[in-house]
Amino acid sequence: MKLVIYTHIRENYAAHNGFTGEYRWKNKGGDIYVVEDIAPNIISQAHGEQSYSSSGELRNIFDYITEDNDSFQESIHCWEVMDDDEVVGDSWETPYIIEAGYLGSQGANFRRTIDNGEYGYMRREIAQKEESWVQMKNGDRSDYRAVYTMNNGDVVEGEDALSEWLQKEDA
């Protein structure tokens, strides 16, 4: 079983050049987060809880996702428990995967694989981008890693190596 969490994002457009005390919130859609191999006690809690103010493990997971400051807000819209083989989201959406086994004070392991297909936004030479990092509850990230698989089969690790690879292709 997996826990699928849908969020809502708002951005304060008045804070683009630094926060001045003004608020102009714009809705920006949201993201999808998937906690795979979820523990049975969290599944029963997810079925029983109806609000974000839930306690225990479910709230602990939500704390890694939500953020609320003067320029950005991400809040829980809803969640559901799904079978492992059920498809999450639409073809243009790329869910964030949270490793359920490590949700501690040192952060939670997140990963995401972005296919640069029909709905891709990266340069055409890139077939796929795999990201991983440790997410902290305050919104900070550590140990960020990006690995790119190119259409010709090359594997490139990191933004600097990707820039070098693309410059060679452009030459």
Side-chain angles (χ1 to χ4, degrees):
M1 301 295 283
K2 59 188 172 191
L3 176 66
V4 181
I5 305 164
Y6 303 91
T7 67
H8 179 235
I9 295 174
R10 294 185 342 149
E11 187 177 335
N12 180 5
Y13 272 44
H16 278 248
N17 295 319
F19 183 64
T20 62
E22 182 182 359
Y23 292 96
R24 286 197 320 262
W25 292 107
K26 181 173 182 181
N27 294 325
K28 303 293 282 187
D31 288 317
I32 302 172
Y33 296 85
V34 176
V35 185
E36 296 177 330
D37 301 322
I38 196 76
N41 65 317
I42 298 175
I43 292 171
S44 62
Q45 186 182 13
H47 281 302
E49 299 288 347
Q50 298 300 318
S51 71
Y52 169 69
S53 63
S54 49
S55 60
E57 285 294 312
L58 192 57
R59 175 61 188 240
N60 190 34
I61 293 168
F62 291 167
D63 285 345
Y64 286 104
I65 298 169
T66 57
E67 189 171 343
D68 187 359
N69 58 52
D70 290 327
S71 59
F72 180 84
Q73 295 175 338
E74 185 165 14
S75 59
I76 305 298
H77 174 66
C78 63
W79 64 87
E80 63 183 319
V81 176
M82 298 174 72
D83 289 328
D84 288 332
D85 59 350
E86 285 187 74
V87 176
V88 175
D90 291 312
S91 58
W92 63 85
E93 296 174 301
T94 305
Y96 293 90
I97 308 300
I98 305 171
E99 293 179 19
Y102 184 67
L103 294 167
S105 61
Q106 300 301 311
N109 293 327
F110 277 54
R111 70 181 192 283
R112 181 167 76 155
T113 301
I114 304 166
D115 290 320
N116 197 31
E118 180 181 357
Y119 302 105
Y121 62 89
M122 297 175 277
R123 284 190 44 169
R124 61 179 163 63
E125 297 92 342
I126 302 170
Q128 187 178 73
K129 177 182 181 182
E130 295 178 43
E131 300 176 292
S132 63
W133 65 93
V134 176
Q135 181 72 39
M136 310 309 267
K137 287 184 180 180
N138 65 2
D140 290 341
R141 290 181 177 184
S142 66
D143 301 328
Y144 179 81
R145 182 174 181 241
V147 177
Y148 298 87
T149 302
M150 311 309 284
N151 285 326
N152 70 356
D154 288 352
V155 176
V156 180
E157 186 171 340
E159 303 294 330
D160 292 340
L162 176 64
S163 292
E164 290 175 20
W165 191 96
L166 292 170
Q167 285 175 2
K168 282 190 239 175
E169 286 294 304
D170 291 340

